[in-house]
Structures are given as structure tokens and as C-alpha cells.
Amino acid sequence: MDIYDLFLYMSLGAGFLMAFNLGANDVANSMASAVGARAITVKQAVFIAGILNFVGAVFLGSHVTATISKGIINPDAIGDPKLLMIGMFAALLAAGLWVLVATLTSLPVSSTHSIVGAITGFGLIAGGPDVVNWLKMGGIVLSWVISPFFAAGIAYFIFSHIRKYILFKRHFIEQAKKWAPIWVAITLSMISLSFLYKTPAGKSLHLHWAGSLGVAACMSFIAWLIARYFVNKMVLNEEEGAEGVELLFRKMQVGTSCYVALSQGANDVANAIGPVAAIYLIAKEHQLLAKAAVPWPMLVLGGLGIAVGIALLGHKVMATVGTKITTLTNTRGFAVDFGAASTVLVASNLGLPVSTTHAAVGGVVGVGLARGFHAVDFRVLFRIVAYWIATVPIAALTSIVIFVLLKWLCYS
């Protein structure tokens, strides 16, 4: 067995470890609000998130994976394919270890931050500052800043809308039945557009943008009709008070949580499989090609790793995001999920590796602020932000240490 095959097999293990860790940490992004609002149990959340993350990773994930593996550093500037392969393996291992540490301390960190920081770290040592695509890095950093504020803004707007037009109205059950199908329709229109612009099946249709909007509009209208039918069949009395509204939104929140889980799998599988895909190409071609299809087995490996991580350790971070930042109800949880999922799906379709973690936490803070500053536990929030800030430098330094050791072993 030559060194290329050895690192290929080792990278499959490291890629699975990274996928496991981001599944364990990032499950909170899709299911924490639903569990915190008691729409579903922890076991149900783990089961649903595991399946949908796997489906998102396998069927929606290839485009973003290509961006991660080729966009952050310029492999041509490094020259030596073996050195590049060692660096990608070091990045995988470093990022996976940091996400594991964060998960064991029950704090959400960005797996995107981790892998980008780790790849940048070995790139700086292997080829110097010029090897890093700083323009691409600037765009990625901008997306990290935008994602929590954008998600918070959407969540704040939606929950404020629910309070103004439903909860604060005299006949709020009637208002809830009026608005719930509209929100269902909007959600499905975004999912439809994501399918058409993101998946291989959707892109193979080669629809004009007007046609895509037409399909999304038709799907949202059908969703509105179905939701309206089921909402009107629900027996809700004004005497039930706000509990009646929460019961209605509880069913919707499960749907939005599934929406987040699907988009999360599509976006985050890149963090585990991007470096593995790069190592695979180097092992087979002895160079990192500009464009190459990511093999399906790798996406399946990433999806499985995410699902196993969710099942074994997903409950830890879920408790922090779902219960410790602010108190969540089903109406608030719906707003959180919609804000986070909208942010992630738009970024994923643009090819930006946006942080799902930042979007989810931003959404939770947004609904908390809609009720005032007193509703947010800023001590927990500051601890989370501290971990966010530490992620890139810690992942980079760990990657550098592993890379230097492996380089010494392989070249000595």
C-alpha cells in the first residue's frame, strides 16, 4: 500500500469522525427549538433529524462540497500533491477534534468555521499567505457575520407578526387559522425553489427563472389549500386561550424543524466530505482537479456520520440552544426555524458555506429580543460567542501542529 492509498483510507475515517461530530453538535440547529417548545421529544428529534440530515447530505450536498474543497486555498501554489493531501487530512482531524470538545461541553460551534480555519492553517504553513484565497475568505467571513443577524431579523419579524396579528387580537384562534396556511405556503415555496436550483434532478429540468417561480407558486398554492383544509378541521375554541394557538403552531413547527434539518444536511456535509473528496482526487489523479464530481459513497459516508452523531451525542447541545438562551414556545420556535432555514437555504444555493449554528442561535436571540432584552440570557450567549471567536484560531493551530508532525513523519 503506497502513501496515497494509506491517507485515502485514513481520511475516510477522519471524514466520518468529522461528520459524527458536526451531527452531534449541529443537531441543535434543526431540532432544539422544537424540543425546547415541547413540540416533539428528544428521541423523536434525534430520529427525524438523523433521517433528514442524511437525505439532505446525499441528495443536496454536492455543490457546496465543491466550494469548500477548492475555494479556500489555491492548491496549485503548493505544488506537491502529497503535501496537499497531508494538509487536508490534518485539517479534517483538527476540525473534528475541536467540534468534539465543544460538543462535550454542550456549546454550539460552527463546523464551517472549524474546517475553514483548519484548511487555512495548514495552507499558511505549506505555501505561505499567498496560497490562501483571501477574497474568497472575505466572502465567507461576511456570510458568517450576516447569517446570525439575518436569521435574527427574520425570526424577530415573524414572531412580531404573530404577536401583532394573532396573539394580541381579540379573536386570535380565527386569526391563527387565517395566517397558518399562509406561512405553510411560504415555507413550501422556498423548499421548491431550493429543489429546482440545488439538486441534480431540479437542475436537469433547465427551467427559466420565471418557470421556477411559477412551479414554486403552484406548489405554495397547493400547500395553502391543504393546510387550510386541515386547519379548519381542527377543533380549537377561543376558551383555550393562547394554548389553542400554540397547539396549531406546534404542528407547523415540526414541519419547519424538518425544513431546517434537510437544509442543514445539504450545507454541512461539505465540512466533512470536502477534504475527503480532495484527498480522493489526489490519490487517484496525483493532483487536485479544478472540477470533479464528488463520488456518491462519500456523501453517503458523510450522511451516515451525521446521523450517528445525532443519535449518540445530539442531546447535549440541543439542551443549550433549546432551553438556556431564552424560553421557547411553539410560535417562537416556528419563527426561529423559519429564520434559520431561510438563511441557510439561500446561502447554500449561492454556494456560500454559511454557518447553520450562527443562523440557529441568531434566530433564538431574535425571538427573545422581540419580548425585550430581559428575555435573553446574555451570560449563556456570551459563552457561545466566545467559543465562536476561538474556533478559527484553535482549529488553525491544531491543524498546523498535526500537519507539521505528519510532514516530518512522511518526509523524514
Side-chain angles (χ1 to χ4, degrees), residues 3-4 7 73-91 118-119 121-128 131 275 278-279 282-283 286-288 399-400 402-412:
I3 192 168
Y4 290 100
F7 269 91
I73 61 170
N74 178 14
D76 297 330
I78 294 176
D80 185 354
K82 187 164 76 171
L83 201 62
L84 186 64
M85 180 178 65
I86 293 169
M88 282 294 185
F89 176 77
I119 290 175
F122 98 78
L124 287 171
I125 297 299
V131 83
I279 293 169
I282 294 167
H286 287 211
Q287 60 176 318
L288 184 57
S399 176
I400 288 169
I402 296 171
F403 174 68
V404 170
L405 285 173
L406 287 174
K407 182 183 174 184
W408 178 73
L409 287 171
C410 294
Y411 284 84
S412 60

Side-chain angles (χ1 to χ4, degrees), residues 275-296:
V276 180
I279 293 169
Y280 173 81
L281 291 171
I282 294 167
K284 297 301 178 188
E285 308 289 339
H286 287 211
Q287 60 176 318
L288 184 57
L289 304 177
K291 288 185 180 180
V294 177
W296 279 99

Side-chain angles (χ1 to χ4, degrees), residues 96-316:
L97 289 172
W98 169 244
V99 177
L100 179 61
V101 168
T103 302
L104 293 175
T105 53
S106 302
L107 288 174
V109 296
S110 170
S111 55
T112 306
H113 269 198
S114 300
I115 199 67
V116 168
I119 290 175
T120 303
F122 98 78
L124 287 171
I125 297 299
D130 293 340
V131 83
V132 180
N133 187 338
W134 295 110
L135 187 63
K136 175 75 73 173
M137 180 66 76
I140 292 170
V141 170
L142 188 62
S143 76
W144 295 338
V145 174
I146 291 170
S147 57
F149 289 100
F150 190 63
I154 294 175
Y156 181 95
F157 167 77
I158 292 175
F159 184 59
S160 297
H161 182 278
I162 291 169
R163 293 178 84 195
K164 182 177 180 181
Y165 291 98
I166 299 176
L167 296 175
F168 290 173
K169 291 289 185 180
R170 188 170 184 178
H171 302 291
F172 42 76
I173 295 294
E174 185 180 322
Q175 288 294 106
K177 288 185 173 183
K178 171 187 171 184
W179 281 103
I182 294 173
W183 285 118
V184 170
I186 293 171
T187 302
L188 201 74
S189 68
M190 293 196 69
I191 293 173
S192 301
L193 287 172
S194 178
F195 171 81
L196 291 171
Y197 283 107
K198 190 77 175 68
T199 64
K203 288 188 283 191
S204 68
L205 298 174
H206 302 295
L207 289 179
H208 188 266
W209 65 267
S212 299
L213 288 176
V215 170
C218 290
M219 293 296 293
S220 63
F221 180 67
I222 293 169
W224 177 79
L225 289 175
I226 295 171
R228 191 164 179 264
Y229 170 77
F230 282 107
V231 164
N232 287 331
K233 285 198 72 174
M234 291 180 67
V235 180
L236 298 173
N237 301 314
E238 296 289 346
E239 291 78 20
E240 293 182 26
E243 282 300 314
V245 178
E246 295 296 336
L247 178 63
L248 180 59
F249 273 87
R250 185 175 302 159
K251 299 181 184 301
M252 293 170 59
Q253 192 189 359
V254 174
T256 53
S257 292
C258 292
Y259 169 40
V260 177
L262 189 68
S263 63
Q264 178 190 27
N267 206 49
D268 284 6
V269 71
N271 301 324
I273 299 306
V276 180
I279 293 169
Y280 173 81
L281 291 171
I282 294 167
K284 297 301 178 188
E285 308 289 339
H286 287 211
Q287 60 176 318
L288 184 57
L289 304 177
K291 288 185 180 180
V294 177
W296 279 99
M298 286 190 188
L299 291 175
V300 172
L301 179 75
L304 280 174
I306 291 171
V308 173
I310 288 169
L312 296 182
L313 290 177
H315 62 280
K316 284 183 169 290

